[in-house]
Amino acid sequence: MSKTTEQVRKSLARRYRAERRFRAYGIISIAIGLAALAILFTDIIGKGHSAFFEHYVKLDITFNEQTLDIENAGDPEQLNYGNYDGIVREALKARFPEVTERLQVRELSALMSIGAGYELRELLREHPEWLGTTQSLWLLADDDVDLFLKAGEKGRQDSRMSAEQKSWITELEQAGDTERRFNASFFSSGDSREPELAGIWSAVVGSFFTMLVTLCLSFPIGVAAAIYLEEFAPRNRFTDFIEVNINNLAAVPSIIFGLLGLAIFINLFGVPRSVPVLGGLVLTLMTLPTIIITSRASIKTVPPSIREAAMGLGASRMQVVLHHVLPLALPGMLTGAIIGMAQALGETAPLLLIGMVAFIVDIPTGPLDASTVLPVQIYLWADSPEQSFVAMTSAAIMVLLAFLIAMNTLAVVLRKRLERRW
């Protein structure tokens, strides 16, 4: 008896040790996952936070009529074609009178962004009385200057600017003629070849129209398909075949849907490339399986007693589904739709195949205007050679992650607030 008891104790001890090891492995796995996530977020935020700020330089701008070639500041035609770069060069030469050689003047002019001329045009449009006067104005610096001012000592040494340009910027900085400001254009402008002028707003608007088309198509079609398969379809080989294919489509790589959209919507139906309608159609194909599967799972959670009670009171099959089953299953369907939309929002591969990689400067005004989406904008910036686009890529990733986290949080909140326990 004692020998048997001892064996049982040893067996229990081994089980307890195995259980403790299993728990330890689980904790270690979670810790590794959280550490990897922390490293990822730290790297993205560390590289991208600087893109939310940009530097300006203070200059005394003389709105000279001869240099601008503007006689009447109230004439829009003259304002549009004024030589604003010329008065910026004159202001820089007045600030650094020792610069006389042509090459030095060119390097000095390169300190300012080409956007400075656009700023001056708008300022003169708002204040026509400034023509012929001198004003102290803060103008946008070039992206290389911005990087130089943001960098530490080692980063400034590695800057690609010349030694003279570094000395001029350092002199402006020491004199208090440089200022760091919030980069509002990052959230209000479209794409640009110049990093200091580029923004994500056109991509955000394009993503909005694309997601709107996707939601308007995928949600009603997916819910209708789920209701039919779960409530009305007979159980036979044909419906089994449909269910198997729906489950398989949910695991198909997204690039396959891009190829499908290229073959059908573009080559067959002639839908224009790089428009939100086309992107929405392709993403609808991709999100439909997810919405159908989650909607069917939500319908299955409705107790059969609800259906039986409604039919016992004389309701038709359609009335049972529309008046009782659908309202009770809708919270789960909405949760699945939000998760599917969040997945679609982060997709890049299918949209690359249908041409949504265009260089879009103007903000789209509708689902038929040429546009791109935020993930593709990130892809384009990541492939740009300018060093400033590294920070802007990370900043755009931060914005995209914020949208994705918000959508998934909304799905969790809706599930918690609207779910019913039977």
Side-chain angles (χ1 to χ4, degrees):
M1 186 70 178
S2 60
K3 186 176 180 180
T4 304
T5 304
E6 186 65 24
Q7 289 178 347
V8 170
R9 287 177 180 175
K10 290 181 179 180
S11 176
L12 289 175
R14 284 195 300 270
R15 290 186 191 177
Y16 293 150
R17 286 196 299 269
E19 184 178 347
R20 286 194 295 268
R21 284 197 301 270
F22 184 76
R23 290 180 179 178
Y25 294 153
I27 294 173
I28 292 172
S29 300
I30 293 173
I32 292 173
L34 291 176
L37 189 63
I39 293 172
L40 174 65
F41 276 91
T42 301
D43 181 66
I44 293 174
I45 296 173
K47 291 179 180 178
H49 76 279
S50 61
F52 297 116
F53 301 93
E54 58 187 358
H55 281 87
Y56 283 73
V57 174
K58 184 180 181 182
L59 293 175
D60 293 329
I61 301 294
T62 300
F63 292 90
N64 190 299
E65 295 95 329
Q66 288 74 28
T67 305
L68 286 170
D69 195 20
I70 295 177
E71 297 178 356
N72 180 13
D75 186 357
E77 187 74 16
Q78 294 186 32
L79 284 177
N80 287 335
Y81 297 100
N83 182 20
Y84 300 99
D85 293 337
I87 61 175
V88 173
R89 283 195 298 271
E90 289 183 353
L92 287 168
K93 290 169 66 177
R95 182 66 176 77
F96 299 97
E98 69 278 6
V99 178
T100 55
E101 296 183 7
R102 184 176 180 180
L103 181 59
Q104 287 183 321
V105 172
R106 185 181 301 173
E107 289 186 344
L108 184 63
S109 301
L111 299 181
M112 303 304 300
S113 168
I114 63 171
Y118 303 140
E119 291 183 67
L120 292 175
R121 181 185 63 188
E122 297 306 317
L123 287 172
L124 190 58
R125 193 189 306 275
E126 295 175 6
H127 305 279
E129 69 277 6
W130 283 5
L131 188 64
T133 65
T134 301
Q135 305 290 332
S136 293
L137 301 173
W138 291 93
L139 300 177
L140 184 62
D142 186 70
D143 62 295
D144 289 332
V145 174
D146 186 57
L147 284 176
F148 178 80
L149 292 173
K150 290 175 180 177
E153 189 63 30
K154 186 178 184 303
R156 293 191 174 191
Q157 293 176 0
D158 297 337
S159 175
R160 68 178 184 177
M161 292 194 303
S162 66
E164 290 182 323
Q165 287 178 319
K166 293 178 182 178
S167 65
W168 295 328
I169 290 299
T170 303
E171 182 178 339
L172 289 169
E173 184 182 22
Q174 292 174 349
D177 290 336
T178 61
E179 185 176 78
R180 185 181 183 184
R181 296 183 180 180
F182 179 71
N183 187 5
S185 62
F186 180 76
F187 296 98
S188 60
S189 303
D191 197 8
S192 174
R193 302 294 183 190
E194 302 297 326
E196 70 274 11
L197 300 178
I200 62 171
W201 185 239
S202 62
V204 170
V205 175
S207 294
F208 170 76
F209 285 127
T210 302
M211 291 298 104
L212 183 63
V213 173
T214 304
L215 180 63
C216 291
L217 292 176
S218 62
F219 187 68
I221 295 174
V223 169
I227 291 174
Y228 173 76
L229 290 173
E230 200 62 36
E231 297 290 336
F232 297 101
R235 295 294 180 261
N236 52 36
R237 291 184 178 180
F238 179 69
T239 55
D240 291 340
F241 175 77
I242 292 176
E243 291 181 10
V244 169
N245 280 277
I246 289 174
N247 293 326
N248 288 336
L249 284 174
V252 169
S254 59
I255 195 169
I256 303 300
F257 294 100
L259 291 171
L260 183 64
L262 180 64
I264 296 179
F265 299 127
I266 295 179
N267 295 337
L268 185 61
F269 294 107
V271 179
R273 289 175 177 263
S274 192
V275 294
V277 167
L278 178 59
L281 289 171
V282 172
L283 294 178
T284 295
L285 297 177
M286 192 191 74
T287 56
L288 264 178
T290 302
I291 294 178
I292 292 173
I293 291 171
T294 56
S295 297
R296 292 188 65 186
S298 183
I299 292 173
K300 288 179 181 178
T301 61
V302 179
S305 57
I306 301 292
R307 300 174 177 85
E308 295 168 359
M311 296 183 71
L313 292 174
S316 66
R317 189 67 179 272
M318 183 65 70
Q319 288 174 327
V320 170
V321 172
L322 295 181
H323 297 169
H324 300 279
V325 176
L326 182 60
L328 295 174
L330 193 58
M333 294 178 176
L334 289 175
T335 301
I338 294 172
I339 293 174
M341 296 296 293
Q343 178 189 2
L345 179 61
E347 283 296 335
T348 306
L351 301 180
L352 293 177
L353 289 176
I354 60 174
M356 294 195 74
V357 290
F359 178 75
I360 305 298
V361 178
D362 298 326
I363 311 300
T365 57
L368 294 177
D369 291 342
S371 64
T372 186
V373 293
L374 197 51
V376 176
Q377 186 68 74
I378 293 170
Y379 169 81
L380 293 173
W381 283 350
D383 198 42
S384 299
E386 287 84 356
Q387 189 177 358
S388 295
F389 277 122
V390 175
M392 299 193 65
T393 300
S394 297
I397 291 173
M398 292 167 61
V399 174
L400 179 60
L401 286 175
F403 279 120
L404 294 176
I405 292 172
M407 292 180 72
N408 283 280
T409 303
L410 178 62
V412 173
V413 171
L414 283 176
R415 185 172 69 242
K416 293 293 184 183
R417 294 286 298 273
L418 302 177
E419 72 176 353
R420 298 190 181 188
R421 297 186 181 276
W422 309 100

